Amino acid sequence: MHNDPVVRKYTSAGRTTVYKLPVEAFPNHITNCYLVMTDPVTLIDAASGQESSNASLLDCFARLRAEFGETVALADVKRLILTHGHIDHFGGLHFVVEQSGAEIGIHELDMSVVRFFNERLVVSSKNLQIFLERAGLTQEKTGKLLAMNKWSKDLFRARPVDFTFDEGPLPNSPFGLYHAPGHCPGQVCIQLDDILFTADHVLSHITPNQSPEFIVRYTGLGHYIAALKKIKTIPGINIGLGGHEHAIDDVAGRVDASIAFHEGRLEKTLNLCGEPRTVAEVSLELFGERKGYHVLLAFLETGAHMEYLHERGHLAVVNVEEVDEQPNPVLQYQKQ
Ligand SMILES: [Zn+2]
Ligand SMILES: [Zn+2]
């Protein structure tokens, strides 16, 4: 991740001021929240809600007042829009609401992450368990990765949201919303004049982590690539402001680069399956030996690519008799 720790000011073509607040959501993990000086004052994303993250958010407000001569404080925020249901973006919403009384909105497909946080984590963990067993992992390793996946379970208290949205203009605001699933089911990119807040969908340097749709609906590489193509067609965008990293001068160019990156990885994945291969075997070839949480990320990324190829008939499961006979066998994929 290429963090940019500087508070920055942008002005949209319609003369609306935007401040980038680089909040240290977790150690060395900066989430860019954006303060938009609309009426009502709008904050896009709330970082993680960890004590240090909340302190960092307040510090960003202090810096913007000192550096840009503003008087605005967190207490002035009256609307909080969450770009997607990942803890480094929505976890701070309790703190923002306590400080400001802001109304909270999120896409309808990610609302349940906030409202039924524990339920969604537990249910998706069951799907993850089945995925890891089919991927060819031992029970012991599967248990370890499942425990890691639940690292965020104590970080957030579920609560209702005030409004949800899908796509199109957000009422009583200058914002246009574009649903961009794949990295997260209910992720949105938000247009303000010539600015596109790209969330984690398009970032300046990296491409966001992918995960198979088998585990959570509306994730997966198919949705992600389709949503990249959709975002590229939005007219009149001069700058992209992502949920992490630096501003993006050429959003369409970054979209093309992100698609090309995944096409390259798809080709590599397919070529590794000349012989029958499991997700675990392909993941090891693609990413080598990873440690800790990165093992899980590598499996999910590999699984998303193999799922995409399998759904489109480029890979087939070749141990069908075994699959037919056993409750949840390891799947062997081969290039077709
Ligand atoms: Zn994310
Ligand atoms: Zn993120």
Side-chain angles (χ1 to χ4, degrees), residues 125-145:
S125 289
K126 279 289 161 200
N127 295 348
L128 176 62
Q129 181 178 354
I130 297 167
F131 163 75
L132 291 173
E133 284 168 7
R134 289 183 183 176
L137 233 64
T138 62
Q139 272 204 332
E140 192 199 341
K141 278 189 177 168
T142 298
K144 274 188 190 163
L145 292 186

Side-chain angles (χ1 to χ4, degrees), residues 16 31 48 52 94 106 116 144-145 154 162 173-174 187 205 220 225 240 250 256 276 280 301:
T16 301
T31 298
S48 75
S52 58
H94 284 286
I106 190 165
F116 311 116
K144 274 188 190 163
L145 292 186
D154 296 323
D162 300 300
S173 86
Q187 183 166 246
H205 289 75
I225 290 175
D250 176 11
D256 288 340
E301 185 79 22

Side-chain angles (χ1 to χ4, degrees), residues 84 86 88-89 183 187 200 244:
H84 66 296
H86 283 166
D88 56 331
H89 297 261
H183 169 70
Q187 183 166 246
D200 284 4
H244 305 282

Side-chain angles (χ1 to χ4, degrees), residues 188-210:
V188 285
C189 295
I190 304 168
Q191 184 177 12
L192 170 69
D193 305 325
D194 59 335
I195 294 175
L196 189 68
F197 299 96
T198 57
D200 284 4
H201 189 54
V202 187
L203 297 167
S204 63
H205 289 75
I206 61 161
T207 59
N209 182 252
Q210 301 297 320

Side-chain angles (χ1 to χ4, degrees), residues 94-130:
H94 284 286
F95 180 69
V96 171
V97 171
E98 277 159 26
Q99 297 282 315
S100 67
E103 294 208 324
I104 313 163
I106 190 165
H107 189 275
E108 59 191 15
L109 290 177
D110 276 356
M111 180 266 279
S112 64
V113 177
V114 175
R115 189 155 179 212
F116 311 116
F117 179 67
N118 198 42
E119 181 257 10
R120 187 137 152 185
L121 188 61
V122 168
V123 172
S124 67
S125 289
K126 279 289 161 200
N127 295 348
L128 176 62
Q129 181 178 354
I130 297 167

